[in-house]
Amino acid sequence: MEQPEKRGSFPSSAMVLPLFTVACAVCAALLLFSSGPGARLHVWNFGTGFTMIKAAGYIGLGCAVVAVASGVVSVRGRHYKGVFVSLIALLLALVSFGIPLYWKVQAQSYPRIHDISTDLNNPPRFVAISTERRAGVRYGGIEVATQQMKAYPELKTVVLALSANEAYKTALLIARDLGWDIVAERPAEGIIEATDTTRWFGFKDDIAVRIVPAGDRSLLDIRSVSRVGISDLGTNAKRVRAFLAKIAPSRR
């Protein structure tokens, strides 16, 4: 005679929804966390990487809803393994949804520019890097300058209490310390050209540092430009600030 199912027993069918949900959440997390490294390793291009992040967000949102429903069903049926698996799925789903959402909100808070300079009237020019980029590095003019002044008004030419020669040597040491790849050194002109690589997508951003003598002091300007994109999520401004903080730590 068939035995009736005991209350609190765990029929295998009760795990179908929790396991499906956690599998989808894992897929969303994999899409998110492989998007950048895959692009950096040239497995796919950055456009595909952005699409993966967007897909991870949507899948994560859907999984979060299903995970809540799965958890409620499991609680009502006293299927505690299902509750546990549903909670794991919910956490993964929230991470997969939350990170892209945070990035999107951050992107909207920054100006849609990717060329930052401490001298808006006469930005440091690229020579060696301009040749490598083929299309050159053109400044966006008043439109870019206006947005930068509104978003980053503190980024201006720095007066250093160093001779131009000493300032150049210090700037070069700092550039190397920050992990930049030095492309060109022209001490006679007071110019340093370098490239920095972003951590997540491996984007190449170009930097030009210009130092000119001013009596027994010197004037330093720095420019940082992304090679792709419209908005840089504040990356170039952060790079400029990091450099200036090292070469002029007392600067306000």
Side-chain angles (χ1 to χ4, degrees), residues 18-190:
L19 288 175
F20 171 76
T21 306
V22 79
C24 290
V26 167
C27 287
L30 287 174
L31 281 173
L32 175 63
F33 292 110
S34 64
S35 59
R40 187 164 186 160
L41 294 172
H42 306 293
V43 178
W44 46 71
N45 60 37
F46 70 88
T48 300
F50 285 142
T51 300
M52 291 169 69
I53 292 173
K54 186 176 181 180
Y58 283 122
I59 295 172
L61 177 60
C63 283
V65 174
V66 177
V68 171
S70 174
V72 170
V73 170
S74 296
V75 167
R76 288 180 176 178
R78 295 187 181 179
H79 303 141
Y80 301 116
K81 289 184 180 178
V83 174
F84 178 70
V85 173
S86 296
L87 284 174
I88 293 176
L90 180 60
L91 290 174
L92 285 173
L94 289 176
V95 168
S96 300
F97 170 69
I99 291 177
L101 178 62
Y102 172 77
W103 285 344
K104 183 177 181 179
V105 172
Q106 285 290 97
Q108 293 173 344
S109 69
Y110 289 106
R112 291 173 64 80
I113 56 176
H114 61 267
D115 190 344
I116 302 297
S117 174
T118 54
D119 186 341
L120 301 176
N121 296 314
N122 181 29
R125 297 178 60 189
F126 294 94
V127 177
I129 286 176
S130 187
T131 301
E132 286 188 7
R133 288 176 59 150
R134 296 181 182 178
V137 187
R138 297 179 181 177
Y139 187 64
I142 188 64
E143 182 179 351
V144 172
T146 300
Q147 292 188 65
Q148 182 185 316
M149 284 189 292
K150 183 177 179 181
Y152 316 115
E154 76 284 3
L155 299 182
K156 299 177 181 178
T157 300
V158 177
V159 180
L160 299 174
L162 298 171
S163 67
N165 184 51
E166 288 300 316
Y168 186 90
K169 292 178 181 178
T170 303
L172 191 58
L173 287 173
I174 291 173
R176 288 172 174 158
D177 184 58
L178 290 171
W180 300 351
D181 294 321
I182 306 301
V183 177
E185 299 177 37
R186 300 197 299 279
E189 302 172 39

Side-chain angles (χ1 to χ4, degrees), residues 115-119 123-124 126 148 155-158 178 180 192 206-211 220-224 236 239-244:
D115 190 344
I116 302 297
S117 174
T118 54
D119 186 341
F126 294 94
Q148 182 185 316
L155 299 182
K156 299 177 181 178
T157 300
V158 177
L178 290 171
W180 300 351
I192 300 169
D206 299 315
I207 308 117
V209 177
R210 180 182 65 205
I211 298 167
L220 180 144
D221 283 295
I222 176 173
R223 180 182 179 188
S224 182
N236 289 295
R239 182 179 294 114
V240 169
R241 285 197 196 102
F243 179 85
L244 296 180

Side-chain angles (χ1 to χ4, degrees), residues 40 129 175 178-183 193-199 202-207 224-227 235-236 238-240 242:
R40 187 164 186 160
I129 286 176
L178 290 171
W180 300 351
D181 294 321
I182 306 301
V183 177
E193 294 186 52
T195 297
D196 192 19
T197 304
T198 62
R199 292 181 180 179
F203 291 138
K204 298 291 184 181
D205 295 343
D206 299 315
I207 308 117
S224 182
V225 188
S226 301
R227 293 190 183 184
T235 299
N236 289 295
K238 291 174 185 175
R239 182 179 294 114
V240 169

